Amino acid sequence: MAQHEEHTAYEYLRPSKKFPNVWCSGCGIGVVMSALIRAIDNIGLEKDNVALVSGIGCTGRMPVYMDFNTMHTTHGRALAFATGLKIARPELKVITIMGDGDALAIGGNHFIHSARRNIGITAIVVNNNIYGMTGGQYSPTTPIGGRATTAPYGNIEPPMPICELAQAAGASYVARSTVYHAAELERYIEQAIRKDGFGLVEAVSYCHTGYGRLNKLGTAVDMMRALKETSMAQAAAQKLAPEERENKIVRGVLHDVERVEYTARYQQLIDQVQQSIGGR
Amino acid sequence: MTVKLMQGNDAVGWGALAAGCRFYAGYPITPSTEVAEMLSRELPKVGGKFIQMEDEIASLAACIGASVGGLKSMTATSGPGFSLMQEHIGYAAMTEVPCVVVNVQRLGPSTGQPTSASQGDVMQARWGTHGDHPIIALCPTSVSQSFDLTVKAFNFSEKYRTPVILLLDEVIGHMREKFDMPDFDAIERVDRIATDVPPEWYKPYGDSLSDVPPMANFGDGYRYHITGLFHDPHGYPTQRLDEIDPWIKRVHRKIERNLHDIVLYEEDWDPTNKTVVVSYGASARSARHAVKLARQHRLKVGEITLLTIWPFAEEVIARMARTARRIIVPEMNLGQLALEVERVAGRSKVVRVNRANGEMVTPQEILDAIEGS
Ligand SMILES: Cc1ncc(C[n+]2csc(CCOP(=O)(O)OP(=O)(O)O)c2C)c(N)n1
Ligand code: SF4
């Protein structure tokens, strides 16, 4: 098993080129990366047919380590770049990797509209409740009361519900898990990639260096353990009263429907137009 | 083909199609919207793709993404949208991804006057994004030139792996003129240099004789990394001086060594002309008329019309300034390209004729300047 794991990772990494990575030791982002690699391996995708597009942040650094077509874009805009790429190359599996600030603050508009179009992109949001790369400023998912370098008296803004937002905007697949539940995360990422339309996976993680230190939440291990303790499967969560559910991270496939995918629909439009002008 | 009455914005759309553009992403804004409207209609007919994005930032991002996927891509906008696009103009320059950005200039700053003409974005086209970077910007003076320069813009962007800005103004964009559309098959089309090495040897930002490395498209079997960080020849981020320095020099060199190809202008002057008018865009139309009137009055006046405004046409301006005593620069702004003319020709020779209120500089104003002093 251990050997198999090692083998899988090596096939998909750029080991000679860009390691060691930039992340703090113990950061949860690496767990998401390995879950993504295993998901791609499970499906058996050709490396040439996968494109990873990221924004800016600790999370945004993920693609450079992986041996696919990789693009590290600008802060917040990964989905907009990915939209152009997917339209140009509908046959590619296009996967975007974003932090919570990246996807929902500066990139919130692109997030909503990508989901609305139901374009065939898999969006993975690593939610660590903070701006990691810039050193711990509050993000759209920082809990109320949470301390950040720009919220020294505690955050007063309510957090953004990532999954609910994606569902309301029109995503065809929405799931949430945590970096403690690596196998479950892998399964959800795999399902999202297999989906034709827009699939969102919220990977709840932590930032012990930024958020953890400012809020006295302990080490990476402590924060990992907290993910186990504060999260619960959707089925179990449904049995709780709403107020009991409040501070829980609900894990599961929250939404899964079939809707026509954008680039397929555009191809139909091209076919119709060309037919009506007698083909060219 | 057929002779038509056409506006500049439509000619830009046709020029794009003729150049092989197969992807357009944009956000509506006066006075550029007609470009989007015509391409939303025409692109699907040739199997191309059109998308209206949620804003201009996303529009240029999508163009760059599509170009990385192998489609020639364009967006069109005006003032406020051009401001929003600046970050991604820098990204395209940094990652050397071909794309064409059309800016039909309107009166600014801010929302300004959407339906009024201006040449107020000349300096923004050069320096709008942060950091040192090369850029190409072209300025048509007529409807047929809008077509021709759009083709050129695509060809330059592909040939030199660079974003190219096509700077129209509201006058040229909305003006209708007779236009004889050429046969698309007869048009010279340049495609990005493809790579022919095996994937494991491919360096997306490696050295090459031309200083323009071959470009592989995503999905073609050359897996590589693209980043807006400074990068090494493989595209991987670097902080090493010995990798950053050659990169910044190469991307400037790839433009500077090809000025003979890139810097386009029309000239009608000789060393006996003590006065020469230097103009571009819609102002060139007034300039042309003024020069004609002056010559009818037997004044010896020369004329240079810049079609490429960036990189600046230093060579011809310097050559002309050796003999000319007065250089008149009419612009629909308070003096932007005049700064460059002054830099090359010397401040004392330059006479600015400016208007920044939404109206064209009139031929009479230029004529007055020619006759004045
Ligand atoms: C336009 C722009 N604004 C601000 C920044 C600075 N910046 C870099 S990363 C970042 C936030 C990163 O936080 P998040 O997206 O949550 O990702 P994380 O680092 O936590 O993975 C910011 C604000 C930038 N690079 N670009
Ligand atoms: S700063 Fe936080 S998010 Fe970034 S690598 Fe370190 S622990 Fe991870």
Side-chain angles (χ1 to χ4, degrees), chain A residues 14 17-18 47-53 61 63-64 67-75 77 79-92 106 109-111 113-114 116-117 119 262 266-267 269-270 273-274 277 280, chain B residues 23 40-55 57-71 87-88 91 97 217-229 232 234-238:
Chain A
R14 290 168 167 159
K17 287 158 190 156
K18 275 297 144 190
K47 289 193 279 187
D48 284 339
N49 293 337
V50 176
L52 305 184
V53 183
R61 290 298 185 100
V64 72
D67 187 16
F68 300 104
N69 302 285
T70 56
M71 197 167 175
H72 178 223
T73 67
T74 53
H75 191 32
R77 320 298 174 191
L79 281 166
F81 283 88
T83 295
L85 179 60
K86 179 70 184 176
I87 294 173
R89 290 285 180 139
E91 74 279 11
L92 289 181
I106 190 164
N109 203 20
H110 314 308
F111 184 84
H113 288 279
S114 304
R116 175 180 66 81
R117 292 186 188 106
I119 187 160
Y262 176 85
Y266 200 92
Q267 190 54 50
L269 180 148
I270 289 176
V273 170
Q274 289 188 334
I277 58 169
R280 266 199 220 174
Chain B
F23 183 84
S40 70
R41 184 184 71 231
E42 296 299 327
L43 272 171
K45 294 184 187 170
V46 295
K49 321 268 174 81
F50 169 94
I51 187 167
Q52 186 170 304
M53 294 298 286
E54 50 274 17
D55 60 34
I57 299 173
S59 299
L60 185 50
C63 286
I64 295 168
S67 184
V68 165
L71 298 186
E87 187 184 9
H88 288 161
Y91 185 84
V97 175
N217 303 323
F218 275 17
D220 284 351
Y222 292 83
R223 298 185 303 276
Y224 67 100
H225 189 63
I226 297 176
T227 176
L229 289 165
D232 66 16
H234 291 277
Y236 298 129
T238 182

Side-chain angles (χ1 to χ4, degrees), chain A residues 22-24 26-29 58-59 128 130 132-133 206-210:
Chain A
V22 296
W23 299 314
C24 308
C27 177
I29 294 174
C58 296
T59 305
N128 57 12
I130 199 84
M133 176 143 272
Y206 53 84
C207 171
H208 53 296
T209 310

Side-chain angles (χ1 to χ4, degrees), chain B residues 82-275:
Chain B
F82 193 57
S83 292
L84 288 181
M85 286 180 185
Q86 295 302 325
E87 187 184 9
H88 288 161
I89 291 174
Y91 185 84
M94 181 58 125
T95 55
E96 300 181 70
V97 175
C99 56
V100 174
V101 177
V102 182
N103 173 11
V104 187
Q105 296 166 94
R106 67 190 224 183
L107 191 62
S110 191
T111 309
Q113 182 49 258
T115 52
S116 293
S118 155
Q119 295 179 311
D121 306 345
V122 165
M123 281 298 171
Q124 191 187 18
R126 180 64 193 89
W127 296 116
T129 196
H130 55 284
D132 283 287
H133 60 283
I135 199 79
I136 297 175
L138 310 179
C139 256
T141 67
S142 69
V143 170
S144 70
Q145 221 171 45
S146 298
F147 179 96
D148 295 342
L149 291 189
T150 304
V151 175
K152 282 274 182 203
F154 274 96
N155 288 351
F156 287 157
S157 78
E158 294 284 322
K159 192 168 174 185
Y160 300 116
R161 286 189 65 174
T162 178
V164 175
I165 295 165
L166 187 70
L167 217 49
L168 270 72
D169 49 65
E170 191 276 338
V171 176
I172 304 296
H174 281 163
M175 180 180 64
R176 284 170 201 277
E177 276 184 321
K178 198 179 75 165
F179 175 52
D180 189 357
M181 187 134 59
D183 186 351
F184 285 9
D185 293 332
I187 282 166
E188 193 208 356
R189 253 190 300 269
V190 179
D191 294 329
R192 59 193 67 172
I193 309 163
T195 180
D196 51 9
V197 300
E200 52 290 7
W201 292 3
Y202 176 60
K203 287 189 195 159
Y205 301 98
D207 286 335
S208 69
L209 281 177
S210 66
D211 286 322
V212 185
M215 179 169 169
N217 303 323
F218 275 17
D220 284 351
Y222 292 83
R223 298 185 303 276
Y224 67 100
H225 189 63
I226 297 176
T227 176
L229 289 165
F230 273 101
H231 39 268
D232 66 16
H234 291 277
Y236 298 129
T238 182
Q239 296 181 351
R240 284 171 44 177
L241 275 184
D242 63 342
E243 289 175 334
I244 293 174
D245 203 54
W247 183 91
I248 195 96
K249 287 187 173 134
R250 177 179 61 74
V251 296
H252 282 86
R253 200 166 57 229
K254 75 180 178 183
I255 301 300
E256 279 156 16
R257 62 186 273 195
N258 290 295
L259 296 179
H260 58 279
D261 184 40
I262 297 168
V263 177
L264 309 170
Y265 54 85
E266 293 167 351
E267 55 182 335
D268 178 11
W269 64 283
D270 66 58
T272 66
N273 296 148
K274 295 300 163 209
T275 302

Side-chain angles (χ1 to χ4, degrees), chain B residues 290-340:
Chain B
V291 168
K292 198 165 128 192
L293 293 175
R295 285 176 181 167
Q296 282 166 7
H297 300 176
R298 306 204 175 284
L299 293 170
K300 297 185 82 181
V301 188
E303 186 180 3
I304 295 175
T305 306
L306 303 179
L307 307 182
T308 302
I309 58 162
W310 303 117
F312 185 65
E314 276 187 42
E315 188 275 329
V316 64
I317 299 298
R319 185 154 44 85
M320 172 270 288
R322 281 205 287 272
T323 50
R325 287 212 198 108
R326 294 171 72 244
I327 302 168
I328 295 168
V329 186
E331 296 181 88
M332 286 188 279
N333 58 43
L334 295 180
Q336 295 198 14
L337 210 66
L339 293 168
E340 283 294 290

